[in-house]
Amino acid sequence: MIAVHTAIRKAVPKLTPEVMKGMGSPLIGYGKYRYKSASGREGEWFLIGLAAGKSYYSLHICAADKGGYLAEQNAAKLGKVKTGRSCINFKKLEDLELGAAMAVVKQAAKCGGLNAVK
């Protein structure tokens, strides 16, 4: 987790890390943004998140572009991982293609957050 945290800090140094609650267990969120969902709910969320679960680590990429969710679009490049729309799950660092993951992190910082209020 330290290696991924260090890589995120290097890739997007302007995104401030903060310990947050939000996906079941505490995580490190990088960069906050304000969102408004289709249902009208508003709030603050993290752009990038890093968490340790019981059996895997999760890198959350809460960003999309015209092609869809960034994590989902780049799944084939990320190594031996499981991806969801905005989540990359891996069991050990060697399973994650760190360079490809940090390229997605940089792209997310440029795109901004999901449903971001401008």
Side-chain angles (χ1 to χ4, degrees):
M1 197 154 154
I2 292 171
V4 179
H5 169 72
T6 301
I8 293 169
R9 295 297 298 136
K10 185 176 179 183
V12 286
K14 290 183 180 181
L15 297 184
T16 305
E18 180 180 334
V19 176
M20 306 172 76
K21 292 183 180 179
M23 305 290 276
S25 61
L27 57 81
I28 303 170
Y30 304 85
K32 279 186 177 179
Y33 72 95
R34 189 134 190 90
Y35 73 88
K36 183 173 184 177
S37 68
S39 67
R41 189 173 79 185
E42 292 188 44
E44 282 191 344
W45 201 244
F46 56 87
L47 183 59
I48 307 296
L50 180 61
K54 288 182 181 181
S55 59
Y56 56 85
Y57 299 97
S58 297
L59 177 61
H60 302 275
I61 310 288
C62 300
D65 63 12
K66 292 177 185 175
Y69 291 88
L70 298 183
E72 201 170 46
Q73 287 181 55
N74 292 280
K77 302 174 191 173
L78 296 171
K80 188 179 172 183
V81 300
K82 287 188 177 184
T83 58
R85 286 183 170 173
S86 60
C87 187
I88 303 163
N89 296 321
F90 56 100
K91 291 188 177 191
K92 54 188 177 196
L93 182 60
E94 296 78 26
D95 292 342
L96 178 67
E97 178 54 54
L98 193 58
M102 291 309 105
V104 176
V105 165
K106 288 178 184 178
Q107 186 180 2
K110 289 179 185 175
C111 290
L114 296 168
N115 302 313
V117 175
K118 305 280 181 188

